[in-house]
Amino acid sequence: MTFAGVNYLAIVIAAIVAWVAGAVWYTILGKAWTQAQGLSAEKMHAQRAKPGAYLPFIYCFVAELVMAWVLAGLMAHLGAGQVTLLNGIISGAFCWLGFVITTLLVNTSFAMRDMRLIWIDGGHWLIVLLLMGAIIGLMGV
């Protein structure tokens, strides 16, 4: 299922898998993340009751669709026969190292936020990009 040079089915599957992986990640690390954010359980509960509390989940999925699309586009530049599982994982890791973790480090440092957030959020995005790269590598662009 390719159109205009990218495999949109691979992109959608990669985004869905990434979204589910994020849900699992933050379910496991939710308490530590909440503490690192400086939020109490009561404040989090109150936030969930507000209108539009579901919107970050939608924004996250849309962002992951865009991320998978861009990763597929970058991987397409590897050349014929080079879009593989291994090269997908490597591409995802390079994108994480070059763009994601560096941005998180700078933003977290300047905002003087708890440095645990780099490990928690950075770990999440590493898993997301590795999974996306693997799926796109397996399914092709």
Side-chain angles (χ1 to χ4, degrees), residues 19-100:
W19 195 86
V20 170
V24 171
W25 181 261
Y26 284 104
T27 297
I28 294 168
L29 296 173
K31 187 177 236 178
W33 181 86
T34 301
Q35 290 171 345
Q37 288 283 16
L39 299 171
S40 66
E42 296 79 26
K43 183 161 183 164
M44 287 296 292
H45 184 69
Q47 292 289 3
R48 284 187 214 125
K50 289 184 178 179
Y54 60 90
L55 287 174
F57 298 100
I58 294 171
Y59 299 152
C60 181
F61 183 70
V62 171
E64 287 169 339
L65 278 170
V66 171
M67 190 178 286
W69 178 66
V70 170
L71 183 58
L74 289 171
M75 289 173 60
H77 288 285
L78 292 173
Q82 294 301 309
V83 179
T84 64
L85 172 66
L86 180 60
N87 285 343
I89 291 169
I90 290 169
S91 296
F94 273 131
C95 287
W96 176 83
L97 181 64
F99 305 114
V100 176

